[in-house]
Amino acid sequence: MTTNPASEGPEGILPWSDRPEDFWDRPEGDWGDAPGSDAVLDARCHANSCYRLGSFALDIKQPGLAANWLHAAMKEDHPGAWFRTAVVVSRRGPAVFGDGAFDYIRYLVRRAADLGHGDAQQMRPLLVDQAADVPTLTTWEDPEYGPEVLAALQTG
């Protein structure tokens, strides 16, 4: 299994470069506290690239590849990567994650919320009670995958 689109040559990475930007695609690494050094900024820029690659892998329905790239972005606490990893876990479900899949989704969404992801913050009541009333989200930070995470939290 290929884990790096770049290893497939230019055709493996070019579609990623054409992917439209989204709310959490922040090449300048502006999430959380301001980067204090060039090294931190470089790490965040790298994390954002990993987030974009993971997002592209989700788009083309490659959950294993998405998990690898998003996990790399999570190391730098990229809020969008934490949130989109919940999509990977939801799609792979108990077949890969066993009986703890739902708990893992809740953990990922909780961490995304703690890091400032707005959709995840709105979903906090579902982390305690999957039947909780959640205000209707009319504006999404992640319109591509937010509804999928919401459904996963509501259905358990």
Side-chain angles (χ1 to χ4, degrees), residues 55-142:
S55 296
F56 174 68
L58 272 177
D59 293 348
I60 62 171
K61 308 208 180 332
Q62 294 291 321
L65 187 57
N68 290 342
W69 285 116
L70 292 171
H71 179 73
M74 289 166 60
K75 290 178 183 178
E76 291 298 321
D77 284 335
H78 190 294
W82 281 88
F83 191 77
R84 288 191 175 181
T85 300
V87 175
V88 173
V89 175
S90 174
R91 289 181 180 181
R92 295 179 113 187
V96 172
F97 294 98
D99 293 337
F102 181 65
D103 290 335
Y104 191 28
I105 292 168
R106 289 189 330 206
Y107 165 74
L108 293 164
V109 173
R110 180 177 295 112
R111 187 69 180 128
D114 291 346
L115 293 169
H117 196 288
D119 297 344
Q121 291 173 342
Q122 294 291 320
M123 296 176 192
R124 277 189 193 269
L126 296 171
L127 303 178
V128 177
D129 176 8
Q130 71 186 64
D133 286 330
V134 177
T136 302
L137 293 167
T138 56
T139 303
W140 294 89
E141 286 182 4
D142 192 343

Side-chain angles (χ1 to χ4, degrees), residues 5-25:
S7 68
E8 298 173 3
E11 61 279 354
I13 203 158
L14 286 177
W16 161 70
S17 65
D18 290 338
R19 190 178 196 287
E21 290 184 15
D22 64 57
F23 186 86
W24 284 106
D25 179 6

